[in-house]
Amino acid sequence: MGSMVSTASASLGSLWDEVSGTQPDPDAWVVVATLVAAAAVVLPPGLWRLSRNAITIAHEGGHGLVALLTGRTLTGIRLHSDTSGLTVSRGKPDGIGMILTAAAGYTAPPLLGLGGAALLGDGRITLLLWLATALLLVMLVMIRNVYGAVSVLVTGGTFVLVSWLAGPQVQAAFAYAVVWFLLLGGVPPAFELQAKRARGGAGDSDADQLSRLTHVPAGLWLFLFHAVSLCALLGGGRWLLGL
């Protein structure tokens, strides 16, 4: 029995060393190529309408994670084929917890990208992939519709396959592509929201909810969303490019 425990402990220790250890940085051309690939699915409107679903996963996941961290009860998350989503939580209808939860949506994708860039800048490629997989698994438990469940399963399954079956170079390229995508894809949603509000739509948007909660104009919350996404892109891009 003692030898089995020792073997299990050694295996867990080896696994932790592998996950938390550092990996070699990819070649510079890989970093640039993944930037181009991410831009290619964000900039063209046709492809963006498809790839935006992944940003919605991060957006709604941000709402859900902050709701839990601030002591609210997360009821469920829904993702829709039109790239919209809905996260429902119970708790005080106002106060700092509700404000942070409402503010977390548009800021989550760029901040996740910034955190991912910090990990990649430190050579923690495997750790990034495992953390992303864990977050997607937690989110899957809270999904309350079929389309959302399929979307998160496909996304999480891709991370699992790359983490377990792909070689180091493929893992590095995948991780850099994901982080570039979060950084670049975190920018357009705030501009899209601004355009909708200018046309008189999106009256119940995150910015409008925050305005009602804080009595701060929705335009200032939009400015915050823009500032976070653009600063994250600049800062994360510098880390990824090694500047």
Side-chain angles (χ1 to χ4, degrees):
M1 180 66 72
S3 61
M4 291 177 60
V5 173
S6 298
T7 302
S9 298
S11 299
L12 287 174
S14 176
L15 178 62
W16 173 247
D17 289 340
E18 180 181 346
V19 171
S20 62
T22 60
Q23 292 76 42
D25 293 333
D27 296 333
W29 72 266
V30 174
V31 179
V32 175
T34 53
L35 167 59
V36 173
V41 297
V42 170
L43 297 179
L47 286 176
W48 172 239
R49 280 193 291 271
L50 296 175
S51 63
R52 198 186 190 284
N53 284 282
I55 295 297
T56 302
I57 292 176
H59 178 115
E60 300 303 331
H63 282 312
L65 179 61
V66 174
L68 291 173
L69 291 176
T70 55
R72 298 181 62 80
T73 300
L74 183 59
T75 305
I77 298 172
R78 291 177 176 270
L79 306 173
H80 305 129
S81 58
D82 63 355
T83 73
S84 66
L86 176 67
T87 299
V88 179
S89 62
R90 292 199 307 268
K92 287 182 60 179
D94 52 19
I96 188 64
M98 188 63 198
I99 293 170
L100 291 176
T101 299
Y106 281 92
T107 57
L111 291 179
L112 286 171
L114 184 63
L119 288 174
L120 293 182
D122 197 35
R124 312 281 179 175
I125 296 170
T126 303
L127 181 59
L128 169 67
L129 295 175
W130 280 57
L131 283 174
T133 303
L135 288 173
L136 287 166
L137 278 173
V138 171
M139 186 174 179
L140 179 61
V141 175
M142 300 309 302
I143 294 292
R144 295 294 181 264
N145 67 325
V146 174
Y147 181 84
V150 171
S151 298
V152 176
L153 272 172
V154 170
T155 306
T158 304
F159 275 88
V160 171
L161 289 174
V162 172
S163 300
W164 283 96
L165 301 179
Q169 290 301 315
V170 174
Q171 288 186 1
F174 178 75
Y176 271 79
V178 167
V179 172
W180 276 124
F181 173 74
L182 287 170
L183 291 171
L184 291 171
V187 174
F191 285 98
E192 294 168 352
L193 176 58
Q194 185 173 356
K196 286 180 182 178
R197 294 188 76 258
R199 295 192 298 268
D204 200 36
S205 70
D206 292 355
D208 292 282
Q209 291 181 44
L210 285 163
S211 179
R212 290 192 291 270
L213 287 166
T214 63
H215 306 293
V216 173
L220 288 181
W221 285 106
L222 268 171
F223 176 78
L224 173 68
F225 297 158
H226 286 310
V228 170
S229 62
L230 292 172
C231 289
L233 175 59
L234 291 174
R238 286 176 60 86
W239 277 332
L240 293 178
L241 294 170
L243 301 178

